[in-house]
């Protein structure tokens, strides 16, 4: 199972992205756990994740989250994909991070 954590400023704007990504993962037969949290909860949630994606609005937190994520991959979601709520593209980004 691949565990993908999304981080945004309030944990709300990524809720739709989580749904779209999970729908795409299910369609592909990829077992995943995808969830979203506000940036304030990221440090406590990152331990369970295999990779972390940040919403574009919190890209300024990239180095901070990389600092406590250890060797887990952390990246900012592509702004165009996020704006279009393109769950397929963002899932592909997460899967690429995971290798």
């Amino acid at each position: 199972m691949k565990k993908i954590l999304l981080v945004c400023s309030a944990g709300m704007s990524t809720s739709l992205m989580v749904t779209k990504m999970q729908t795409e993962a299910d369609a592909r037969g990829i077992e995943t756990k995808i969830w979203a949290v506000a940036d304030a909860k990221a440090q406590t949630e990152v331990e369970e994740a295999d990779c972390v994606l940040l919403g574009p609005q919190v890209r300024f937190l990239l180095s901070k989250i990389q600092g406590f994520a250890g060797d887990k991959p952390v990246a900012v979601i592509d702004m165009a994909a996020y704006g279009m709520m393109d769950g397929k593209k963002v899932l592909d980004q997460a899967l690429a991070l995971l290798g």
Side-chain angles (χ1 to χ4, degrees):
M1 174 181 290
K2 298 178 186 320
K3 298 177 200 163
I4 304 165
L5 173 63
L6 305 185
V7 178
C8 72
S9 59
M12 301 288 287
S13 63
T14 51
S15 298
L16 180 58
M17 182 60 74
V18 167
T19 301
K20 291 188 177 265
M21 290 173 69
Q22 190 65 62
T23 299
E24 180 66 24
D26 292 346
R28 296 187 199 180
I30 301 170
E31 190 177 347
T32 57
K33 175 183 178 183
I34 305 170
W35 75 107
V37 298
D39 61 346
K41 293 185 77 177
Q43 190 164 1
T44 58
E45 295 284 327
V46 76
E47 187 175 309
E48 187 179 348
D50 295 324
C51 74
V52 182
L53 292 175
L54 280 62
Q57 71 275 30
V58 292
R59 71 170 41 90
F60 63 93
L61 295 172
L62 181 63
S63 61
K64 176 184 177 182
I65 292 176
Q66 285 172 326
F68 60 71
D71 61 352
K72 296 177 184 187
V74 181
V76 177
I77 296 171
D78 176 77
M79 190 180 301
Y82 191 84
M84 298 293 291
M85 284 290 140
D86 187 342
K88 177 185 183 305
K89 189 168 185 178
V90 178
L91 178 64
D92 287 342
Q93 182 181 2
L95 294 175
L97 281 175
L98 293 169

Coordinates of all heavy atoms in Angstrom, one line a residue:
M1 N 0.8 -1.2 0.0 CA 0.0 0.0 0.0 C 0.9 1.2 0.0 O 1.8 1.3 0.7 CB -0.9 0.0 1.2 CG -1.7 1.3 1.3 SD -2.8 1.5 2.7 CE -4.0 0.3 2.3
K2 N 0.5 2.2 -0.9 CA 1.3 3.4 -1.0 C 0.5 4.5 -0.1 O -0.7 4.7 -0.3 CB 1.4 3.9 -2.4 CG 2.2 2.9 -3.2 CD 2.3 3.3 -4.7 CE 2.9 2.3 -5.6 NZ 4.0 1.5 -5.1
K3 N 1.2 5.2 0.8 CA 0.6 6.2 1.6 C 1.1 7.6 1.2 O 2.2 7.9 1.3 CB 1.0 5.9 3.1 CG 0.5 4.5 3.5 CD 0.9 4.2 4.9 CE 0.9 2.7 5.2 NZ 1.7 2.4 6.4
I4 N 0.1 8.4 0.8 CA 0.4 9.7 0.2 C -0.3 10.7 1.1 O -1.5 10.8 1.2 CB -0.1 9.8 -1.2 CG1 0.6 8.7 -2.1 CG2 0.2 11.2 -1.8 CD1 -0.1 8.5 -3.4
L5 N 0.5 11.6 1.7 CA 0.0 12.7 2.5 C 0.0 14.0 1.7 O 1.0 14.4 1.1 CB 0.9 12.8 3.8 CG 0.6 14.0 4.7 CD1 -0.8 14.0 5.2 CD2 1.6 14.1 5.8
L6 N -1.1 14.7 1.7 CA -1.2 16.0 1.1 C -1.3 17.1 2.2 O -2.0 16.9 3.2 CB -2.4 16.2 0.2 CG -2.6 15.1 -0.9 CD1 -3.8 15.5 -1.8 CD2 -1.4 15.0 -1.8
V7 N -0.5 18.1 2.1 CA -0.5 19.2 3.1 C -0.9 20.5 2.4 O -0.5 20.9 1.3 CB 0.9 19.4 3.6 CG1 1.0 20.5 4.7 CG2 1.4 18.1 4.3
C8 N -1.9 21.2 3.1 CA -2.3 22.5 2.6 C -2.4 23.4 3.8 O -2.2 23.0 4.9 CB -3.5 22.5 1.8 SG -5.0 22.1 2.7
S9 N -2.8 24.7 3.6 CA -2.9 25.6 4.7 C -3.9 25.3 5.7 O -3.7 25.5 6.9 CB -3.0 27.1 4.2 OG -4.2 27.2 3.4
A10 N -5.1 24.8 5.3 CA -6.2 24.5 6.3 C -6.6 23.1 6.2 O -7.5 22.7 7.0 CB -7.3 25.4 6.0
G11 N -6.1 22.3 5.3 CA -6.5 20.9 5.2 C -7.8 20.8 4.4 O -8.3 19.7 4.3
M12 N -8.4 21.8 3.9 CA -9.7 21.8 3.3 C -9.5 21.8 1.7 O -10.2 21.0 1.1 CB -10.5 23.0 3.7 CG -10.7 23.2 5.2 SD -11.9 21.9 5.8 CE -13.4 22.6 5.1
S13 N -8.7 22.6 1.2 CA -8.6 22.7 -0.3 C -8.1 21.4 -0.9 O -8.4 21.2 -2.1 CB -7.8 23.9 -0.7 OG -6.4 23.7 -0.2
T14 N -7.4 20.6 -0.2 CA -6.9 19.4 -0.8 C -7.9 18.2 -0.7 O -7.7 17.1 -1.2 CB -5.6 19.0 -0.2 OG1 -5.8 19.0 1.3 CG2 -4.5 19.9 -0.6
S15 N -9.0 18.4 0.0 CA -10.0 17.3 0.2 C -10.5 16.8 -1.2 O -10.6 15.6 -1.4 CB -11.2 17.8 1.0 OG -10.8 18.1 2.3
L16 N -10.8 17.7 -2.1 CA -11.3 17.3 -3.4 C -10.2 16.6 -4.2 O -10.4 15.6 -4.8 CB -11.8 18.5 -4.2 CG -12.3 18.2 -5.6 CD1 -13.5 17.2 -5.6 CD2 -12.8 19.5 -6.3
M17 N -9.0 17.1 -4.0 CA -7.8 16.4 -4.7 C -7.6 15.0 -4.2 O -7.4 14.1 -4.9 CB -6.5 17.2 -4.5 CG -5.3 16.6 -5.2 SD -5.5 16.5 -7.0 CE -5.3 18.2 -7.4
V18 N -7.8 14.8 -2.9 CA -7.7 13.5 -2.3 C -8.7 12.5 -3.0 O -8.4 11.4 -3.4 CB -7.9 13.5 -0.8 CG1 -8.1 12.1 -0.2 CG2 -6.7 14.1 -0.1
T19 N -9.9 13.0 -3.1 CA -11.0 12.2 -3.7 C -10.7 11.8 -5.1 O -10.8 10.7 -5.5 CB -12.4 13.0 -3.6 OG1 -12.6 13.2 -2.2 CG2 -13.5 12.1 -4.2
K20 N -10.2 12.8 -5.9 CA -9.9 12.6 -7.3 C -8.7 11.6 -7.4 O -8.7 10.8 -8.3 CB -9.6 13.9 -8.0 CG -10.9 14.7 -8.1 CD -10.8 15.9 -9.0 CE -12.1 16.6 -9.2 NZ -12.8 16.2 -10.4
M21 N -7.7 11.8 -6.6 CA -6.5 10.9 -6.6 C -6.9 9.5 -6.2 O -6.5 8.5 -6.9 CB -5.4 11.4 -5.7 CG -4.8 12.7 -6.1 SD -3.6 13.3 -4.9 CE -2.3 12.0 -4.9
Q22 N -7.8 9.3 -5.2 CA -8.2 8.0 -4.8 C -9.0 7.3 -5.8 O -8.8 6.1 -6.1 CB -9.0 8.1 -3.5 CG -9.2 6.8 -2.8 CD -7.9 6.1 -2.4 OE1 -7.2 6.6 -1.5 NE2 -7.7 4.9 -2.9
T23 N -9.9 8.1 -6.5 CA -10.7 7.5 -7.6 C -9.8 7.0 -8.7 O -10.0 5.9 -9.2 CB -11.7 8.6 -8.1 OG1 -12.5 9.0 -7.1 CG2 -12.5 8.1 -9.3
E24 N -8.7 7.8 -9.1 CA -7.8 7.3 -10.1 C -7.0 6.1 -9.7 O -6.8 5.2 -10.4 CB -6.9 8.5 -10.4 CG -5.8 8.2 -11.5 CD -6.4 7.9 -12.9 OE1 -7.6 8.4 -13.2 OE2 -5.7 7.2 -13.7
A25 N -6.5 6.1 -8.4 CA -5.8 5.0 -7.9 C -6.7 3.7 -7.9 O -6.2 2.6 -8.3 CB -5.3 5.2 -6.5
D26 N -7.9 3.8 -7.5 CA -8.8 2.7 -7.5 C -9.0 2.2 -8.9 O -9.1 1.0 -9.2 CB -10.2 3.1 -6.9 CG -10.1 3.4 -5.4 OD1 -9.0 3.0 -4.8 OD2 -11.0 3.9 -4.8
A27 N -9.2 3.1 -9.9 CA -9.4 2.7 -11.3 C -8.2 1.9 -11.8 O -8.4 1.1 -12.7 CB -9.7 4.0 -12.1
R28 N -7.0 2.3 -11.3 CA -5.8 1.6 -11.8 C -5.5 0.3 -11.0 O -4.5 -0.4 -11.3 CB -4.6 2.5 -11.7 CG -4.7 3.7 -12.6 CD -3.4 4.5 -12.5 NE -3.5 5.8 -12.9 CZ -2.4 6.7 -13.0 NH1 -1.2 6.3 -12.5 NH2 -2.6 7.9 -13.4
G29 N -6.3 0.1 -9.9 CA -6.0 -1.1 -9.1 C -4.8 -0.9 -8.2 O -4.1 -1.8 -7.8
I30 N -4.5 0.4 -7.8 CA -3.3 0.7 -7.0 C -3.9 0.9 -5.6 O -4.7 1.7 -5.3 CB -2.6 2.0 -7.4 CG1 -2.1 1.8 -8.9 CG2 -1.4 2.3 -6.5 CD1 -1.6 3.1 -9.5
E31 N -3.4 0.1 -4.6 CA -3.8 0.2 -3.2 C -3.1 1.4 -2.6 O -1.9 1.4 -2.5 CB -3.5 -1.1 -2.5 CG -4.1 -1.2 -1.1 CD -3.8 -2.5 -0.4 OE1 -3.4 -3.4 -1.1 OE2 -4.1 -2.5 0.8
T32 N -3.9 2.4 -2.2 CA -3.3 3.6 -1.6 C -4.1 4.0 -0.4 O -5.3 3.7 -0.2 CB -3.4 4.8 -2.6 OG1 -4.7 5.0 -3.0 CG2 -2.5 4.5 -3.8
K33 N -3.5 4.8 0.4 CA -4.1 5.6 1.5 C -3.7 7.0 1.1 O -2.5 7.3 1.1 CB -3.7 5.2 2.9 CG -4.3 6.2 3.9 CD -3.8 5.9 5.3 CE -4.4 6.9 6.3 NZ -3.9 6.7 7.6
I34 N -4.6 7.9 0.8 CA -4.3 9.3 0.5 C -5.2 10.1 1.4 O -6.4 9.9 1.6 CB -4.7 9.6 -1.0 CG1 -4.0 8.6 -1.9 CG2 -4.3 11.0 -1.3 CD1 -4.5 8.7 -3.4
W35 N -4.5 11.0 2.1 CA -5.2 11.9 3.1 C -4.6 13.3 3.1 O -3.4 13.5 2.7 CB -5.3 11.3 4.4 CG -4.1 11.3 5.3 CD1 -3.9 12.0 6.4 CD2 -2.9 10.4 5.2 NE1 -2.6 11.7 7.0 CE2 -2.0 10.7 6.2 CE3 -2.5 9.5 4.2 CZ2 -0.8 10.1 6.4 CZ3 -1.3 8.8 4.4 CH2 -0.4 9.2 5.5
A36 N -5.3 14.2 3.6 CA -4.9 15.6 3.6 C -5.0 16.2 5.1 O -5.9 15.8 5.8 CB -5.7 16.5 2.7
V37 N -4.0 17.0 5.4 CA -4.0 17.7 6.7 C -3.5 19.1 6.5 O -2.9 19.5 5.5 CB -3.0 17.0 7.7 CG1 -3.4 15.6 8.0 CG2 -1.6 17.0 7.2
A38 N -3.9 19.9 7.5 CA -3.4 21.3 7.5 C -1.9 21.3 7.9 O -1.4 20.4 8.5 CB -4.1 22.1 8.6
D39 N -1.2 22.3 7.4 CA 0.3 22.4 7.7 C 0.6 22.2 9.1 O 1.7 21.7 9.5 CB 0.9 23.6 7.0 CG 0.3 24.9 7.6 OD1 -0.7 24.9 8.3 OD2 1.0 26.0 7.3
A40 N -0.2 22.7 10.0 CA 0.1 22.6 11.5 C 0.1 21.2 12.0 O 0.8 20.9 13.0 CB -1.0 23.4 12.3
K41 N -0.5 20.2 11.3 CA -0.5 18.8 11.7 C 0.5 18.0 10.9 O 0.6 16.8 11.1 CB -1.9 18.3 11.5 CG -2.9 18.9 12.5 CD -4.3 18.2 12.3 CE -4.2 16.9 13.0 NZ -5.5 16.1 13.0
A42 N 1.1 18.6 9.9 CA 2.0 17.8 9.0 C 3.1 17.0 9.8 O 3.3 15.8 9.5 CB 2.7 18.7 8.0
Q43 N 3.7 17.6 10.8 CA 4.8 16.9 11.4 C 4.3 15.6 12.2 O 5.0 14.6 12.2 CB 5.5 17.8 12.5 CG 6.8 17.3 13.0 CD 7.6 18.3 13.7 OE1 7.3 19.5 13.8 NE2 8.8 17.9 14.2
T44 N 3.1 15.7 12.7 CA 2.6 14.5 13.4 C 2.1 13.4 12.4 O 2.2 12.2 12.7 CB 1.5 14.8 14.4 OG1 0.4 15.4 13.7 CG2 2.0 15.7 15.5
E45 N 1.7 13.8 11.2 CA 1.2 12.9 10.2 C 2.3 12.3 9.3 O 2.1 11.2 8.7 CB 0.1 13.5 9.4 CG -1.1 14.0 10.2 CD -2.0 12.8 10.5 OE1 -2.1 11.9 9.7 OE2 -2.6 12.9 11.6
V46 N 3.4 13.0 9.1 CA 4.4 12.6 8.1 C 5.0 11.2 8.4 O 5.4 10.5 7.5 CB 5.5 13.6 8.0 CG1 6.5 13.6 9.1 CG2 6.2 13.5 6.7
E47 N 5.0 10.8 9.7 CA 5.6 9.5 10.1 C 4.9 8.3 9.3 O 5.5 7.4 9.0 CB 5.5 9.3 11.6 CG 6.2 8.1 12.1 CD 6.2 8.0 13.6 OE1 6.6 9.0 14.2 OE2 5.8 7.0 14.1
E48 N 3.6 8.5 9.2 CA 2.8 7.4 8.5 C 2.9 7.4 7.0 O 2.6 6.4 6.4 CB 1.3 7.5 8.9 CG 0.5 6.4 8.5 CD -1.0 6.5 8.9 OE1 -1.3 7.3 9.7 OE2 -1.8 5.7 8.3
A49 N 3.3 8.5 6.4 CA 3.3 8.6 5.0 C 4.5 8.0 4.3 O 5.6 8.0 4.9 CB 3.2 10.1 4.6
D50 N 4.4 7.6 3.0 CA 5.5 7.2 2.2 C 6.1 8.4 1.4 O 7.2 8.4 1.1 CB 5.1 6.1 1.2 CG 4.7 4.8 1.9 OD1 5.3 4.5 3.0 OD2 3.7 4.2 1.4
C51 N 5.2 9.3 1.1 CA 5.6 10.6 0.5 C 4.7 11.7 0.8 O 3.5 11.4 1.3 CB 5.7 10.4 -1.1 SG 4.2 10.4 -1.9
V52 N 5.1 12.9 0.7 CA 4.4 14.1 1.0 C 4.3 15.0 -0.1 O 5.3 15.4 -0.7 CB 5.0 14.8 2.3 CG1 4.1 16.0 2.7 CG2 5.2 13.9 3.4
L53 N 3.1 15.5 -0.4 CA 2.9 16.5 -1.5 C 2.3 17.7 -0.8 O 1.3 17.6 -0.1 CB 2.0 16.0 -2.6 CG 2.5 14.9 -3.4 CD1 1.4 14.4 -4.4 CD2 3.7 15.3 -4.2
L54 N 2.9 18.9 -1.1 CA 2.4 20.2 -0.6 C 1.5 20.9 -1.6 O 1.9 20.9 -2.8 CB 3.5 21.1 -0.3 CG 4.3 20.9 1.1 CD1 4.9 19.5 1.1 CD2 5.3 21.9 1.3
G55 N 0.4 21.5 -1.2 CA -0.4 22.3 -2.1 C 0.5 23.5 -2.5 O 1.3 24.0 -1.7
P56 N 0.3 24.0 -3.7 CA 1.1 25.2 -4.1 C 1.0 26.4 -3.1 O 2.0 27.1 -3.0 CB 0.4 25.6 -5.5 CG -0.2 24.3 -5.9 CD -0.7 23.6 -4.7
Q57 N -0.1 26.5 -2.4 CA -0.2 27.7 -1.5 C 0.7 27.6 -0.3 O 0.9 28.6 0.4 CB -1.7 27.9 -1.1 CG -2.2 26.8 -0.2 CD -2.7 25.6 -0.9 OE1 -2.3 25.2 -1.9 NE2 -3.7 24.9 -0.3
V58 N 1.3 26.4 0.0 CA 2.2 26.2 1.1 C 3.6 25.8 0.6 O 4.3 25.2 1.4 CB 1.6 25.3 2.2 CG1 0.4 25.8 2.9 CG2 1.3 23.9 1.6
R59 N 3.9 26.1 -0.6 CA 5.2 25.8 -1.1 C 6.4 26.3 -0.3 O 7.5 25.7 -0.3 CB 5.4 26.2 -2.6 CG 5.5 27.7 -2.7 CD 5.9 28.2 -4.1 NE 5.3 27.5 -5.2 CZ 4.1 27.8 -5.8 NH1 3.5 28.9 -5.4 NH2 3.6 27.1 -6.8
F60 N 6.1 27.4 0.4 CA 7.2 28.0 1.2 C 7.6 27.1 2.4 O 8.6 27.3 3.1 CB 6.7 29.4 1.8 CG 5.5 29.3 2.7 CD1 5.6 29.2 4.0 CD2 4.2 29.4 2.1 CE1 4.5 29.2 4.9 CE2 3.1 29.3 2.9 CZ 3.3 29.2 4.3
L61 N 6.8 26.1 2.7 CA 7.1 25.1 3.8 C 7.9 23.9 3.3 O 8.2 23.1 4.1 CB 5.8 24.6 4.4 CG 4.9 25.6 5.1 CD1 3.6 25.0 5.5 CD2 5.6 26.2 6.3
L62 N 8.3 23.9 2.1 CA 9.0 22.7 1.5 C 10.2 22.4 2.3 O 10.3 21.2 2.8 CB 9.4 23.0 0.0 CG 10.1 21.8 -0.6 CD1 9.2 20.6 -0.7 CD2 10.5 22.2 -2.0
S63 N 11.1 23.3 2.6 CA 12.4 22.9 3.3 C 12.1 22.6 4.7 O 12.7 21.6 5.3 CB 13.4 24.1 3.2 OG 12.9 25.2 3.8
K64 N 11.1 23.2 5.4 CA 10.7 22.8 6.7 C 10.2 21.4 6.8 O 10.7 20.6 7.7 CB 9.7 23.8 7.3 CG 9.2 23.5 8.6 CD 8.0 24.4 9.1 CE 7.5 24.0 10.4 NZ 6.4 24.9 10.8
I65 N 9.3 21.0 5.9 CA 8.8 19.7 5.9 C 9.8 18.7 5.5 O 9.9 17.6 6.1 CB 7.5 19.6 5.1 CG1 6.4 20.5 5.8 CG2 7.0 18.2 4.9 CD1 5.1 20.6 5.0
Q66 N 10.7 19.0 4.6 CA 11.8 18.1 4.2 C 12.6 17.8 5.4 O 13.1 16.7 5.6 CB 12.6 18.7 3.1 CG 11.9 18.6 1.7 CD 12.7 19.4 0.7 OE1 13.3 20.4 0.9 NE2 12.6 18.9 -0.6
G67 N 12.8 18.8 6.3 CA 13.6 18.7 7.5 C 13.1 17.7 8.4 O 13.9 16.9 9.0
F68 N 11.8 17.6 8.6 CA 11.3 16.6 9.6 C 10.8 15.3 8.9 O 10.4 14.4 9.6 CB 10.3 17.2 10.6 CG 9.0 17.8 10.0 CD1 8.0 17.0 9.4 CD2 8.8 19.1 10.1 CE1 6.9 17.6 8.9 CE2 7.6 19.7 9.6 CZ 6.7 18.9 9.0
A69 N 10.8 15.3 7.6 CA 10.3 14.1 6.8 C 11.4 13.0 6.7 O 11.1 11.9 6.3 CB 9.8 14.5 5.5
G70 N 12.6 13.4 7.1 CA 13.7 12.4 7.0 C 14.0 12.1 5.5 O 14.1 13.0 4.7
D71 N 14.1 10.8 5.2 CA 14.4 10.4 3.8 C 13.1 10.2 3.0 O 13.2 9.7 1.8 CB 15.2 9.1 3.9 CG 14.5 7.9 4.5 OD1 13.4 8.1 5.1 OD2 15.0 6.8 4.4
K72 N 12.0 10.6 3.5 CA 10.7 10.5 2.7 C 10.7 11.6 1.6 O 11.0 12.7 1.9 CB 9.5 10.6 3.6 CG 9.4 9.4 4.5 CD 8.3 9.5 5.4 CE 8.3 8.4 6.4 NZ 7.2 8.3 7.3
P73 N 10.3 11.3 0.4 CA 10.2 12.3 -0.6 C 9.1 13.3 -0.3 O 8.0 13.0 0.1 CB 10.0 11.5 -1.9 CG 9.4 10.2 -1.5 CD 9.9 9.9 -0.1
V74 N 9.5 14.6 -0.6 CA 8.5 15.7 -0.4 C 8.6 16.6 -1.6 O 9.7 16.9 -2.1 CB 8.9 16.5 0.9 CG1 7.9 17.7 1.1 CG2 9.0 15.7 2.1
A75 N 7.5 17.0 -2.1 CA 7.5 17.9 -3.3 C 6.2 18.7 -3.3 O 5.3 18.5 -2.5 CB 7.5 17.0 -4.6
V76 N 6.3 19.8 -4.1 CA 5.1 20.7 -4.2 C 4.3 20.2 -5.4 O 4.8 19.9 -6.5 CB 5.6 22.1 -4.5 CG1 4.4 23.1 -4.7 CG2 6.4 22.6 -3.3
I77 N 3.0 20.1 -5.2 CA 2.1 19.7 -6.3 C 2.2 20.7 -7.5 O 2.2 21.9 -7.2 CB 0.6 19.6 -5.8 CG1 0.5 18.5 -4.8 CG2 -0.3 19.3 -7.0 CD1 -0.9 18.5 -4.1
D78 N 2.2 20.2 -8.7 CA 2.3 21.0 -9.9 C 1.1 22.0 -9.8 O -0.1 21.6 -9.6 CB 2.2 20.1 -11.1 CG 2.1 20.9 -12.4 OD1 3.1 21.5 -12.8 OD2 0.9 21.0 -12.9
M79 N 1.3 23.3 -10.0 CA 0.3 24.3 -9.8 C -0.8 24.2 -10.8 O -2.0 24.3 -10.5 CB 0.9 25.7 -9.9 CG -0.1 26.8 -9.5 SD 0.5 28.5 -9.6 CE 1.9 28.4 -8.5
A80 N -0.5 23.9 -12.1 CA -1.6 23.7 -13.1 C -2.4 22.5 -12.8 O -3.7 22.5 -12.9 CB -0.9 23.5 -14.5
A81 N -1.8 21.4 -12.4 CA -2.6 20.2 -12.0 C -3.5 20.4 -10.8 O -4.6 20.0 -10.7 CB -1.6 19.0 -11.7
Y82 N -2.9 21.2 -9.8 CA -3.7 21.5 -8.6 C -4.9 22.4 -9.0 O -6.0 22.1 -8.6 CB -2.8 22.2 -7.6 CG -3.5 22.3 -6.3 CD1 -3.4 21.3 -5.3 CD2 -4.1 23.5 -5.9 CE1 -4.0 21.4 -4.1 CE2 -4.7 23.6 -4.6 CZ -4.6 22.6 -3.7 OH -5.2 22.7 -2.5
G83 N -4.7 23.4 -9.8 CA -5.7 24.3 -10.2 C -6.8 23.7 -11.0 O -8.0 24.0 -10.9
M84 N -6.5 22.7 -11.8 CA -7.4 21.9 -12.6 C -8.0 20.7 -11.8 O -8.9 20.0 -12.3 CB -6.8 21.4 -13.9 CG -6.3 22.5 -14.8 SD -7.6 23.4 -15.5 CE -8.4 22.2 -16.6
M85 N -7.5 20.5 -10.6 CA -7.9 19.4 -9.7 C -7.8 18.1 -10.5 O -8.6 17.2 -10.6 CB -9.4 19.5 -9.2 CG -9.5 20.5 -8.1 SD -8.7 19.9 -6.6 CE -8.0 21.3 -5.9
D86 N -6.6 18.0 -11.2 CA -6.3 16.8 -12.0 C -5.7 15.7 -11.1 O -4.5 15.6 -11.0 CB -5.3 17.2 -13.1 CG -5.0 16.2 -14.1 OD1 -5.3 15.0 -13.9 OD2 -4.5 16.5 -15.2
G87 N -6.6 14.9 -10.6 CA -6.1 13.8 -9.7 C -5.2 12.8 -10.4 O -4.3 12.3 -9.7
K88 N -5.4 12.6 -11.7 CA -4.5 11.6 -12.4 C -3.1 12.2 -12.4 O -2.1 11.4 -12.1 CB -5.0 11.5 -13.8 CG -4.2 10.6 -14.7 CD -4.7 10.5 -16.1 CE -3.9 9.6 -17.0 NZ -2.5 9.8 -17.1
K89 N -2.9 13.4 -12.7 CA -1.6 14.0 -12.8 C -0.9 14.1 -11.5 O 0.3 13.8 -11.4 CB -1.6 15.4 -13.5 CG -0.3 16.0 -13.8 CD -0.4 17.2 -14.7 CE 1.0 17.6 -15.1 NZ 0.9 18.8 -16.0
V90 N -1.6 14.4 -10.5 CA -1.0 14.5 -9.1 C -0.7 13.1 -8.6 O 0.3 12.9 -8.0 CB -2.0 15.3 -8.2 CG1 -1.3 15.4 -6.8 CG2 -2.2 16.7 -8.7
L91 N -1.6 12.1 -8.9 CA -1.2 10.8 -8.5 C 0.0 10.3 -9.2 O 0.9 9.7 -8.6 CB -2.4 9.8 -8.8 CG -2.1 8.3 -8.5 CD1 -1.9 8.1 -7.0 CD2 -3.3 7.4 -9.0
D92 N 0.1 10.6 -10.5 CA 1.4 10.3 -11.2 C 2.6 10.9 -10.6 O 3.7 10.3 -10.5 CB 1.2 10.7 -12.7 CG 0.3 9.8 -13.5 OD1 0.0 8.7 -13.0 OD2 -0.2 10.2 -14.6
Q93 N 2.4 12.2 -10.1 CA 3.5 12.9 -9.5 C 4.0 12.1 -8.2 O 5.1 11.9 -8.0 CB 3.2 14.3 -9.2 CG 4.3 15.1 -8.6 CD 3.9 16.6 -8.2 OE1 2.7 17.0 -8.4 NE2 4.8 17.3 -7.7
A94 N 3.0 11.7 -7.4 CA 3.3 11.0 -6.2 C 3.9 9.6 -6.5 O 4.9 9.3 -5.8 CB 2.0 10.8 -5.4
L95 N 3.4 8.9 -7.5 CA 4.0 7.6 -7.8 C 5.4 7.8 -8.3 O 6.3 6.9 -8.1 CB 3.1 6.9 -8.9 CG 1.7 6.5 -8.4 CD1 0.9 5.9 -9.5 CD2 1.8 5.6 -7.2
A96 N 5.7 8.9 -9.1 CA 7.1 9.1 -9.6 C 8.0 9.4 -8.4 O 9.2 8.9 -8.4 CB 7.1 10.3 -10.5
L97 N 7.5 10.1 -7.4 CA 8.3 10.3 -6.2 C 8.7 9.0 -5.5 O 9.8 8.8 -4.9 CB 7.6 11.2 -5.2 CG 7.5 12.7 -5.4 CD1 6.7 13.4 -4.4 CD2 8.9 13.3 -5.4
L98 N 7.7 8.1 -5.5 CA 7.9 6.8 -4.8 C 8.7 5.8 -5.6 O 9.1 4.8 -5.1 CB 6.5 6.2 -4.5 CG 5.7 7.0 -3.4 CD1 4.3 6.4 -3.4 CD2 6.4 6.9 -2.1
G99 N 9.0 6.2 -6.9 CA 9.9 5.3 -7.7 C 9.1 4.3 -8.3 O 9.0 3.1 -8.4

